[in-house]
Amino acid sequence: MLRTIDAFDRIGEENAFAVLARANELAQQGRSIINLGIGQPDFRTPEHIVEAAIKALRDGEHGYTGATGILPLREAVSADIHKRVGVSVNPDNVVIVPGGKVTMFMAILMFGAPGVDILYPDPGFPIYRSMIEFTGARPVPVPIREENGFGFSAEETLSLLTPQTRLVIFNSPANPTGGITGRAEIEKLVQGLTERPDIAILSDEIYGQMTYDGQEHVSLLAFEAIRDRVILLDGWSKTYAMTGWRMGYAVWPDALITKARKLAVNCWSCVNSPAQFGGLAALTGPQDAVAAMVAEFDARRKLVVEGLNALPGISARTPLGAFYAFPNIKATGWKAKPLASALLEKAGVATIGGPDFGILGEGYIRLSYANSRENISLALERIREFLEREKPE
């Protein structure tokens, strides 16, 4: 009998992919399915990015690159961060990675071990807790509360620090809630963290360019007092509709960059070479497609919030970032995961139950409005008909 180490029994999953598989299965059976579950833009990658990758292939860019990525791409990342955040980043501190999750994996692997505490947002991206548990560290949820507009509380976060805390994970704009934490709260948090120079900070800013209603995205990299221990997670998947390209990047502080490079060498050698040239074109080329995509998400956001608040037993705060709504479904009488499952099987609408994002996700479901307005309107009508027809399980 084969026996793996116990750590593999602690690995969780991202249920959005299980819902996607079931939605595709039902669609192949001839069912009409509207997918508001998976978190990926429904737009094509802009053509100039595609053409740059094709040109790289034709030009013979078929071999290995450096483990941290080609220098022009790392320089472009540095220039983009300087333009958006106002911070100068050494290209030697940038690591190009095959998708945003890789940076989570690396950071949590570096700091997670039995006897260590790692703070993470709850509800939040499920891979945070999964990887923390894999390392044997103690996962400490930071409550992300509806009454706070789904932003984190600096006071509550700081109160959860212990002598064993080695890593704190933040995400704003946030998945699954669409919440944004404002500058004043972040400044309080930074002030508190200056008293704990032994704690590393993973700042997941993958949705940083998707904000609405004039909201400011505040990067933790902008604060000099903690910059020497901030690990910035960002990438191309959401901003440039490049989820399948598997392109992300991280900015690592001086104290950790050598460790990150060694992990890259040991794990994936380098990111797909032509894809890196596509990523270069994305950052250095026209940005009109990004602006158009965010404007369309904004219109869909308004549509989905208005529609959700018109449904019986459902209330939804207006998300200020990303492309998710996280409506409160408690008044329907349904538990979140049974409701999400029934909506898919009986109404043909794929959503994700809140508990898939953490203990505090009960009472909520996540809808991605990365789908057409027509489909969103039809999905809302199907949900209405379902709630009027079906009794809670």
Side-chain angles (χ1 to χ4, degrees):
M1 178 179 177
L2 299 177
R3 178 167 175 79
T4 61
I5 62 172
D6 292 343
F8 281 90
D9 295 327
R10 298 193 294 268
I11 293 181
E13 295 192 59
E14 185 182 352
N15 199 44
F17 284 92
V19 172
L20 175 63
R22 179 57 179 162
N24 289 341
E25 181 182 352
L26 291 172
Q28 289 167 4
Q29 294 172 7
R31 293 276 305 278
S32 171
I33 302 297
I34 301 173
N35 197 333
L36 303 184
I38 196 69
Q40 70 172 341
D42 60 323
F43 299 92
R44 288 174 56 90
T45 303
E47 286 303 313
H48 71 282
I49 299 174
V50 175
E51 290 303 318
I54 292 172
K55 183 178 184 300
L57 279 168
R58 289 176 174 157
D59 289 348
E61 299 291 350
H62 305 157
Y64 293 124
T65 73
T68 59
I70 60 174
L71 179 59
L73 181 55
R74 291 185 283 114
E75 290 176 334
V77 167
S78 298
D80 184 63
I81 292 172
H82 186 267
K83 178 179 68 176
R84 292 188 295 108
V85 182
V87 173
S88 295
V89 169
N90 187 336
D92 289 342
N93 290 80
V94 176
V95 178
I96 309 301
V97 290
K101 285 178 181 174
V102 178
T103 299
M104 301 173 200
F105 183 95
M106 295 168 74
I108 296 169
L109 196 62
M110 280 187 193
F111 291 96
V116 165
D117 288 354
I118 297 180
L119 275 60
Y120 71 100
D122 183 341
F125 191 55
I127 304 307
Y128 302 146
R129 184 179 182 107
S130 175
M131 275 306 303
I132 294 168
E133 291 181 333
F134 174 77
T135 66
R138 184 172 77 102
V140 180
V142 174
I144 305 298
R145 303 184 190 278
E146 183 178 5
E147 55 266 34
N148 288 340
F150 291 123
F152 58 77
S153 160
E155 181 179 0
E156 189 167 23
T157 303
L158 294 169
S159 73
L160 295 170
L161 300 179
T162 69
Q164 290 73 43
T165 304
R166 291 293 175 268
L167 177 68
V168 179
I169 302 172
F170 297 103
N171 176 215
S172 178
N175 176 10
T177 63
I180 286 180
T181 302
R183 177 175 291 276
E185 204 66 24
I186 290 178
E187 287 176 347
K188 292 178 188 175
L189 176 77
V190 170
Q191 180 61 37
L193 287 174
T194 58
E195 300 176 11
R196 286 296 304 274
D198 57 320
I199 294 176
I201 303 152
L202 173 60
S203 187
D204 183 348
E205 303 180 20
I206 197 73
Y207 298 99
Q209 296 193 59
M210 293 182 178
T211 62
Y212 312 103
D213 297 342
Q215 288 291 312
E216 174 191 25
H217 168 59
V218 182
S219 174
L220 288 183
L221 201 62
F223 294 90
E224 187 175 0
I226 59 170
R227 194 178 302 153
D228 62 348
R229 49 205 170 95
V230 169
I231 304 160
L232 176 71
L233 184 162
D234 208 330
W236 290 261
S237 292
K238 316 298 183 179
T239 307
Y240 297 97
M242 294 174 67
T243 53
W245 293 64
R246 307 316 301 135
M247 286 281 291
Y249 69 78
V251 177
W252 293 85
D254 289 340
L256 300 176
I257 184 61
T258 298
K259 293 178 173 64
R261 181 187 59 77
K262 288 180 179 180
L263 271 174
V265 170
N266 278 271
C267 189
W268 64 86
S269 298
C270 66
V271 171
N272 177 289
S273 178
Q276 293 189 59
F277 285 89
L280 178 60
L283 292 179
T284 59
Q287 303 297 304
D288 53 322
V290 176
M293 184 168 62
V294 174
E296 176 59 23
F297 283 145
D298 190 13
R300 297 174 184 181
R301 175 182 70 112
K302 294 169 182 173
L303 175 66
V304 78
V305 170
E306 180 181 359
L308 286 168
N309 282 314
L311 295 176
I314 291 182
S315 63
R317 284 183 173 266
T318 301
L320 297 176
F323 42 65
Y324 305 111
F326 203 59
N328 187 319
I329 54 94
K330 295 172 186 176
T332 66
W334 285 82
K335 290 293 188 180
K337 285 180 70 68
L339 177 59
S341 177
L343 285 174
L344 177 56
E345 299 294 335
K346 298 181 179 181
V349 179
T351 64
I352 310 296
D356 285 325
F357 301 99
I359 299 167
L360 299 180
E362 184 56 76
Y364 301 87
I365 59 174
R366 189 191 78 173
L367 286 77
S368 166
Y369 48 88
N371 207 321
S372 70
R373 295 188 221 182
E374 179 183 6
N375 280 343
I376 290 170
S377 295
L378 180 55
L380 290 167
E381 184 56 36
R382 289 183 181 183
I383 295 172
R384 172 185 292 281
E385 293 173 355
F386 172 88
L387 291 172
E388 292 174 346
R389 181 182 71 242
E390 301 285 342
K391 300 295 184 184
E393 294 178 357

